Every structure is written in structure tokens, then in C-alpha cells.
Amino acid sequence: MWTEHEVKELLRQAGVPVPRGVRDPALAGTLRAPLVLKAAGLLHKSDAGGVRLGLTHDTLGAAVAEMRERLGDGFLVEEQAPEGVELIAGLIRDPAFGPVLLAGLGGVWTEALRDTALRLCPVSESDARRMLASLRGSALLYGYRGRPAVDVDAVVKLLMTLGGPGGLWERLELGEFELNPVIATPSGVIAVDARYLPSPRPPSAAPRAAADFTPLFEPRAVAVVGASTSRPAFGNMFLDFYRAAGTPVVAVHPTAASIDGVPAVPTPRGGRGGLRAGRGARRRLRRGRTAGARRAVHAGHERRLRRGGARRPGGGAGGGGP
């Protein structure tokens, strides 16, 4: 796993704004207060008490001593980012679909609302804008209840840097690559927290005879395993994707009757209690498609044909992180 400082240096070189920071607290005098102190090397810093916000140069020393006693050495001190709309942006290599771009509401809203959108890489600028417009909380980006609109063009530029042609998705060994939160304001964006979990690319397989992949790219129906009734999971996100694309879909769950409005069956096998029990639900899904869903079908087929398949798929304004 890369350190947060290393990931942010990668982002800086790619043109993504990140906070100014130092790894040695003794050098923090060059930074502008308020300051953020983070424990280095922890995946879930906020949960471990590894983030302190709103520090001054006078209070930084005591915060470092207290955190060192609890969590050991290794720190990152940064300038605290201004408040704004917290977003998540990330990349993941799905074993079936390849590199996938994720965007959504971030920070504490990531798990609370699960308001995210997915697209196969590479994405176009219009793809990125549609991802943002599809979010349930998209009004926050365009001005809401007297709040100013954020710089949506800067958010789109960030998404293109990650998942567009020539983006980081082509250079990274995914793994997972997550920016959460990204603070969006009227003047731009800044990636407050970042993590990168590389995964070595599998060895090249021996050449195989040509095969018909039509059932894979254009399935008549899909059963999704791994969706949860109590917490966000990849399975839930794929349920949303297939439902939006208009593909008949059922969730596989041992006890639930439905998940996120999608009918559930206890087993993917045919027979009593299996997928046969979901055929009526799939017929209802077909009959209930709206005009928007029909348009999404075309978009979904276009993505599948373009890439051959479809995300992990996200703490405060100061960069607490996941």
C-alpha cells in the first residue's frame, strides 16, 4: 500500500489539487493554519482517532505527542481545506468488467446515502457530466437553498484525470484507488484524502480459440451475488447499475425478499426457490421500464460493447478520510 503522501504526490503530478503538507511536524511552520494532523499508515484513520482538525501551530505539538502515544510514530501535517461539498471519486478493477470509475457524494455521506455512479473506463466528458447529474444529491453541486454552485467543470476534469483517455486508470495497478473526500467549492476541487491499494496484474493467459461472448455482454437476465440489506457493498452498486440499464436483475440473498427494490431469491440455481421464482419479477421489470430506462439500455449496451463489460466502488472538510 502506498502512503497517503506518496499518493498525493502522484495526484499533484497528474494535475489534481491536493493540500500542502509535510511528513515532519517540525517543518509545519511553512504551512498556513488551521492545520490537520494525520497518523500515517492507517487505512481508516478517523475510526482509529488518527485525525485532528483545526490545529494551530501552538497546539500542534501537544496533538502530535498525544497521537504518538496512542498510535506510534509517522505523521502527515497538512493545511486544512475550506468547507464545501464532499465527494468521492475512485477507480477499481472489477474482475469481470475491468477498470471502473466511481463518483458520488463523499465523506460521511458515502456509506450513509450510497449515492454513487459508475462508468466503465475510459469515460468521456459527457459521461462524467451524466455521472454527476445522476446523483440523488446532485442539487448540492449546482446551488441549493442559497448555497453557491461548485465548480462542476473542475469536478469533471478530476474525473477525466482518473478515468478518461490517458487517465490514471491506464497507469495504475488496480487494486483500489480512492479519493474521499474531495472538497468541491465554487473555486475548484481539492483531494483531501487519498489511498491506493495496488494489485499486480494477472499473468497473460495463453491464446484461446475465438468464442461467442454475446451472452456475457448482452445477458437476458442477471443474478447479483453480494448485495447487502444493511450496509453498502459492491453488489448493491451493481444492482443499481443493471436496474438503470433496464437489464432484468435479481439479487441472491439467503433471507431477503428484496434488496433496494430489486426482487431477491435464495439461490442462483434453477428449481424451487431459485431463479425461477424471480421470472415473474423480471417480467414486471420489463413491463415497467420508463422512457429514461430505455435510454439507459442503449447507454448500457454502448458501454458493454465499447469495453467488454461494467465499481468500490467511499472526513470532514479537513480530510479525515475513510
Side-chain angles (χ1 to χ4, degrees):
M1 183 181 76
W2 288 32
T3 67
E4 182 178 347
H5 183 79
E6 292 170 334
V7 180
K8 286 182 173 175
E9 182 58 33
L10 173 69
L11 291 171
R12 185 180 288 109
Q13 294 175 7
V16 176
V18 296
R20 293 176 62 223
V22 295
R23 286 179 286 184
D24 184 352
L27 303 178
T30 61
L31 304 179
R32 183 187 68 252
L35 304 174
V36 179
L37 173 65
K38 300 181 181 182
L42 298 179
L43 274 180
H44 302 286
K45 295 182 289 293
S46 295
D47 294 344
V51 179
R52 291 286 303 274
L53 306 176
L55 298 174
T56 66
H57 290 96
D58 293 334
T59 59
L60 177 62
V64 169
E66 186 275 334
M67 191 175 292
R68 178 182 288 119
E69 183 176 349
R70 289 188 297 107
L71 302 175
D73 255 321
F75 304 99
L76 179 61
V77 184
E78 295 182 325
E79 296 177 347
Q80 184 165 317
E83 292 186 354
V85 178
E86 297 187 359
L87 303 174
I88 181 175
L91 296 163
I92 189 170
R93 180 177 296 277
D94 182 84
F97 300 109
V100 179
L101 175 67
L102 160 75
L105 294 186
V108 297
W109 305 117
T110 300
E111 295 186 2
L113 298 182
R114 299 200 310 230
D115 191 4
T116 56
L118 303 169
R119 291 294 187 278
L120 298 177
C121 297
V123 300
S124 65
E125 181 175 326
S126 60
D127 290 331
R129 293 187 183 278
R130 283 195 294 266
M131 291 176 73
L132 298 176
S134 72
L135 300 176
R136 297 191 302 276
S138 61
L140 297 173
L141 302 176
Y142 303 101
Y144 183 70
R145 292 196 171 184
R147 294 175 178 262
V150 308
D151 186 347
V152 175
D153 289 342
V155 181
V156 170
K157 181 179 178 181
L158 168 65
L159 296 180
M160 294 299 293
T161 300
L162 297 185
L168 290 177
W169 71 276
E170 294 186 359
R171 291 178 265 166
L172 299 176
E173 295 179 344
L174 303 171
E176 296 178 15
F177 187 84
E178 180 182 289
L179 311 181
N180 185 24
V182 173
I183 306 296
T185 68
S187 59
V189 297
I190 185 167
V192 168
D193 199 86
R195 67 174 181 173
Y196 173 34
L197 303 177
S199 177
R201 293 184 182 273
S204 299
R208 296 183 178 181
D212 181 10
F213 291 100
T214 301
L216 174 63
F217 298 152
E218 300 181 13
R220 289 177 294 177
V222 174
V224 175
V225 179
S228 172
T229 60
S230 60
R231 58 185 177 83
F234 288 123
N236 299 77
M237 297 173 186
F238 282 114
L239 287 180
D240 291 342
F241 173 82
Y242 286 117
R243 182 168 57 179
T247 303
V249 59
V250 294
V252 179
H253 193 280
T255 59
S258 66
I259 299 176
D260 296 342
V262 175
V265 294
T267 172
R269 296 180 179 177
R272 185 170 184 177
L275 285 183
R276 292 180 184 174
R279 286 175 180 165
R282 294 198 297 274
R283 286 195 295 269
R284 290 194 299 274
L285 283 173
R286 291 191 184 101
R287 290 196 300 267
R289 288 177 183 167
T290 63
R294 293 190 186 98
R295 289 193 295 269
V297 170
H298 296 300
H301 283 315
E302 180 183 359
R303 299 298 173 275
R304 288 194 288 270
L305 290 172
R306 181 197 302 171
R307 184 64 189 171
R311 144 209 140 138
R312 165 182 142 147

